[in-house]
Amino acid sequence: MAEDLSRTRSLGIQLAYEAMKIIVERGGQAPARDVIAEAGKRVPLNDWARSIYEKTGYVRWRSILHFHTIGLTKAGYLIKKKGVWYVTPEGEAALKLTPLEMFNSGVEAYRQWRDENPKTITDSVGVAKSGIDTGETEDLAQSESDQ
């Protein structure tokens, strides 16, 4: 990719873009498990990508794919419903962008959504405190530090 991206970010962008293409090829919708399996076949995966996260037991590339589709859903490019993924007309249009451009537009949409939907937490006596970010929400634009 043109920019200096972490291997996590680079892999995530490739996987998410390929997943979108797979769904379009299948008529605009497909079971998530099929999309994920096919994306894993189409995108070259090295030992690092195929490794298992020790703490969760999840396969790294699958987790990276799921994480990198968050922005696509917030941008309105991808809908996930009851185990089926759908590409919207906006998502089809986004596939005309480069993978990085599509990802960046998803990051921007995620940030806008996050800013418009601040977390609400409850204090120890059950009183809601609006607008407080507890720090639990990961910033989509921040790379994992496992390079």
Side-chain angles (χ1 to χ4, degrees), residues 74-95:
K74 299 305 178 192
Y77 300 159
L78 179 66
I79 297 170
K80 299 177 180 182
K81 186 175 181 181
K82 296 185 178 183
V84 178
W85 290 3
Y86 304 84
V87 171
T88 65
E90 295 83 5
E92 286 193 52
L95 280 169

Side-chain angles (χ1 to χ4, degrees), residues 17 20 24 77 87-98 102:
Y17 195 81
M20 295 281 288
V24 169
Y77 300 159
V87 171
T88 65
E90 295 83 5
E92 286 193 52
L95 280 169
K96 294 178 179 151
L97 302 171
T98 67
M102 186 177 80

Side-chain angles (χ1 to χ4, degrees), residues 71-147:
L72 302 179
T73 61
K74 299 305 178 192
Y77 300 159
L78 179 66
I79 297 170
K80 299 177 180 182
K81 186 175 181 181
K82 296 185 178 183
V84 178
W85 290 3
Y86 304 84
V87 171
T88 65
E90 295 83 5
E92 286 193 52
L95 280 169
K96 294 178 179 151
L97 302 171
T98 67
L100 182 59
E101 290 169 337
M102 186 177 80
F103 172 75
N104 286 338
S105 68
V107 168
E108 190 57 39
Y110 173 81
R111 287 180 178 159
Q112 181 178 349
W113 171 85
R114 181 194 62 200
D115 292 345
E116 292 170 359
N117 296 282
K119 276 198 172 235
T120 299
I121 62 170
T122 305
D123 68 12
S124 61
V125 291
V127 177
K129 297 179 177 182
S130 295
I132 298 174
D133 186 351
T134 63
E136 294 172 359
T137 304
E138 294 244 351
D139 185 350
L140 181 60
Q142 185 176 13
S143 294
E144 293 181 40
S145 59
D146 54 4
Q147 290 186 340

